[in-house]
């Protein structure tokens, strides 16, 4: 059984995939039965059905949730005795549960932070860090907004940074309407909020403005922007793609080349959609990985995530990056690549950081 704890409109319905499963062997601690105990019809063919039983608990990023939801929907067709519970309370909130050993997998739209890592170490929680897809953090406006075509990072700073930030659109550009800007943004427990804050704040001391309307439910943000011509907000590209009939994505001027780009699949994959292209992760508890149902699920996840992530409007990782995540799982290489041995966040791009020599455990 698959349980989706947070509501997601327009998500993937039942998908028929050529599913590949690896690493699902005999019974291990915490799970019952073994794989391949029977078959069931699936359209014109049949699929192997396992009699493994158990419950898998996942919480964390609402941005990663559509991927985990879609994987879980397909997984339980082959493993009907496993109950997969997927929640989307936000990356930070997900890590809080993960630190307390309340979940098996933590979905994350950013790498783990030093304080979160320290708490895991303190509580004896070891994990394997696995990137699963690329996302483009999308700046969205009302579909009838006819004055904004592009935004620079400096304009975003003027709108979002500090309590003295722009109150009206005309404060950003005198040619824009003298109308109050309404802000609909993820809650501060969200990895998407953290990522946006990191890009816009940079190394400065000024925090994001406090007079915004936050919510951990991305669909609430979508509806807030869609219901107000003078609104703006941000969330993962999947939620924009599901709702682009009532929203419009803003082109972002890349600091790399000064050109403006939309968060298309091509621009996210190439890195042209800068600085808002980012990796998405799952963090897998090594203790939970000893259970048959969790091992089967994670193997299934990585065997199928490249196809599934594109169906829910994300971008597949380069094959060599995904292969490194698979190898880390197979060898149970635990730790994070984004915090150094002194407990500090690493500087540099995702690909520069996600290397074997940068692993800290």
């Amino acid at each position: 059984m698959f349980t989706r704890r947070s509501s997601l409109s327009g998500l993937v319905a039942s998908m028929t995939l050529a599913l590949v499963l690896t690493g699902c062997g005999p019974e291990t601690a915490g799970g019952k039965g073994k794989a391949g105990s029977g078959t069931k019809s699936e359209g014109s063919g049949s699929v192997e059905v396992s009699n493994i039983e158990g419950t898998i608990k996942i919480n964390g990023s609402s941005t990663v949730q559509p991927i985990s939801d879609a994987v879980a929907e397909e997984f339980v067709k082959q493993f009907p005795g496993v109950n997969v519970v997927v929640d989307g309370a936000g990356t930070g909130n997900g890590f809080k549960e993960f630190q307390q050993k309340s979940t098996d997998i933590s979905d994350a739209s950013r790498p783990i932070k030093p304080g979160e890592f320290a708490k895991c170490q303190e509580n004896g929680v070891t994990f394997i860090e696995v990137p699963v897809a690329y996302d483009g953090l999308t700046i969205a406006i009302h579909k009838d907004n006819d004055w904004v075509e592009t935004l620079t990072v400096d304009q975003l700073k003027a709108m979002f940074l500090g309590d003295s930030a722009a109150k009206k659109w005309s404060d950003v550009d005198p040619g824009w309407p003298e109308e109050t800007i309404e802000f609909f943004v993820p809650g501060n427990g969200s990895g998407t909020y953290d990522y946006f804050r990191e890009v816009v704040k940079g190394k400065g001391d000024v925090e994001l403005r406090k007079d915004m309307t936050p919510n951990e439910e991305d669909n609430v943000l979508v509806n807030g922007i869609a219901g107000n011509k003078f609104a703006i907000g941000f969330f993962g590209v999947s939620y924009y793609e599901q709702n682009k009939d009532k929203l419009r994505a803003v082109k972002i001027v890349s600091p790399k080349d000064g050109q403006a780009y939309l968060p298309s699949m091509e621009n996210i994959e190439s890195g042209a959609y800068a600085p808002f292209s980012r990796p998405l992760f799952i963090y897998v508890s090594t203790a939970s990985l000893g259970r048959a149902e969790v091992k089967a699920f994670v193997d299934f996840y990585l065997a199928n995530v490249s196809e599934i992530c594109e169906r829910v409007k994300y971008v597949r990782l380069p094959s060599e990056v995904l292969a490194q995540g698979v190898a880390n799982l197979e060898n149970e290489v635990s730790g994070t690549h984004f915090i150094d041995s002194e407990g500090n966040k690493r500087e540099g791009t995702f690909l520069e950081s996600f290397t074997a020599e940068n692993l800290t455990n």
Side-chain angles (χ1 to χ4, degrees):
M1 180 176 67
F2 159 51
T3 305
R4 180 191 292 113
R5 284 277 180 84
S6 295
S7 60
L8 294 168
S9 63
L11 198 58
V12 183
S14 183
M15 299 178 290
T16 303
L17 300 174
L19 301 173
V20 180
L21 178 66
T22 61
C24 185
E27 178 179 351
T28 60
K32 298 179 181 179
K34 60 182 180 180
S37 59
T39 61
K40 68 174 180 178
S41 297
E42 185 72 23
S44 59
S46 62
V47 295
E48 290 292 323
V49 177
S50 168
N51 64 359
I52 289 176
E53 297 177 353
T55 296
I56 301 169
K57 294 182 179 180
I58 305 171
N59 199 358
S61 169
S62 62
T63 302
V64 182
Q65 187 181 10
I67 303 175
S68 292
D69 279 343
V71 171
E73 286 178 359
E74 292 302 320
F75 176 79
V76 297
K77 294 176 183 178
Q78 192 165 340
F79 295 82
V82 179
N83 180 26
V84 184
V85 182
V86 183
D87 205 345
T91 299
N93 294 325
F95 275 130
K96 288 178 183 177
E97 288 199 16
F98 193 66
Q99 293 158 9
Q100 300 300 321
K101 305 180 182 180
S102 298
T103 54
D104 304 298
I105 297 170
S106 203
D107 288 344
S109 57
R110 57 160 173 80
I112 193 168
K113 292 181 177 180
E116 294 164 338
F117 184 45
K119 196 67 175 179
C120 284
Q121 291 177 312
E122 179 184 327
N123 293 344
V125 176
T126 58
F127 57 79
I128 302 168
E129 181 178 66
V130 187
V132 294
Y134 281 133
D135 174 42
L137 188 154
T138 301
I139 313 300
I141 55 178
H142 192 279
K143 67 176 181 178
D144 294 333
N145 179 322
D146 58 3
W147 59 92
V148 177
E149 289 297 327
T150 67
L151 286 171
T152 65
V153 173
D154 283 342
Q155 286 175 314
L156 291 171
K157 290 177 184 289
M159 296 173 73
F160 284 90
L161 274 188
D163 293 333
S164 61
K167 300 295 189 292
K168 298 180 179 180
W169 285 101
S170 56
D171 294 336
V172 184
D173 186 314
W176 292 350
E178 292 187 15
E179 298 286 347
T180 301
I181 308 170
E182 298 292 337
F183 297 87
F184 294 89
V185 302
N188 58 17
S190 163
T192 301
Y193 178 94
D194 286 340
Y195 191 87
F196 181 86
R197 173 181 173 273
E198 183 176 311
V199 169
V200 174
K201 178 184 176 183
K203 296 185 181 298
D205 296 326
V206 181
E207 292 292 339
L208 298 189
R209 63 193 301 159
K210 302 295 192 297
D211 59 340
M212 301 188 289
T213 302
N215 201 288
E216 299 291 356
E217 284 282 349
D218 294 272
N219 288 321
V220 173
L221 306 181
V222 166
N223 292 332
I225 299 167
N228 189 320
K229 183 178 178 179
F230 302 102
I232 190 170
F234 57 89
F235 33 73
V237 69
S238 177
Y239 290 92
Y240 166 70
E241 289 290 339
Q242 292 173 36
N243 296 278
K244 60 184 179 182
D245 58 325
K246 52 187 176 183
L247 301 174
R248 190 159 64 82
V250 178
K251 292 181 180 179
I252 300 300
V253 177
S254 169
K256 294 180 178 180
D257 61 13
Q259 301 298 309
Y261 297 92
L262 284 169
S264 67
M265 300 299 106
E266 296 77 15
N267 290 338
I268 294 169
E269 183 175 13
S270 69
Y273 184 66
F276 291 117
S277 295
R278 57 175 178 165
L280 304 176
F281 301 86
I282 59 173
Y283 286 77
V284 183
S285 163
T286 56
S288 297
L289 198 59
R291 302 193 336 249
E293 69 274 22
V294 176
K295 178 66 166 63
F297 179 77
V298 176
D299 284 345
F300 186 97
Y301 203 122
L302 294 189
N304 295 283
V305 69
S306 292
E307 288 76 18
I308 286 178
C309 75
E310 290 184 343
R311 291 172 182 254
V312 291
K313 307 303 182 183
Y314 292 105
V315 176
R316 66 171 65 201
L317 291 173
S319 57
E320 61 272 19
V321 176
L322 187 62
Q324 183 179 337
V326 171
N328 287 351
L329 272 165
E330 289 178 347
N331 298 312
E332 295 198 17
V333 178
S334 63
T336 178
H337 303 76
F338 301 93
I339 298 170
D340 63 25
S341 59
E342 303 299 317
N344 301 310
K345 177 185 172 183
R346 289 191 188 279
E347 300 296 329
T349 67
F350 162 62
L351 292 179
E352 288 170 345
S353 297
F354 192 68
T355 61
E357 56 269 25
N358 282 340
L359 187 71
T360 302
N361 47 33

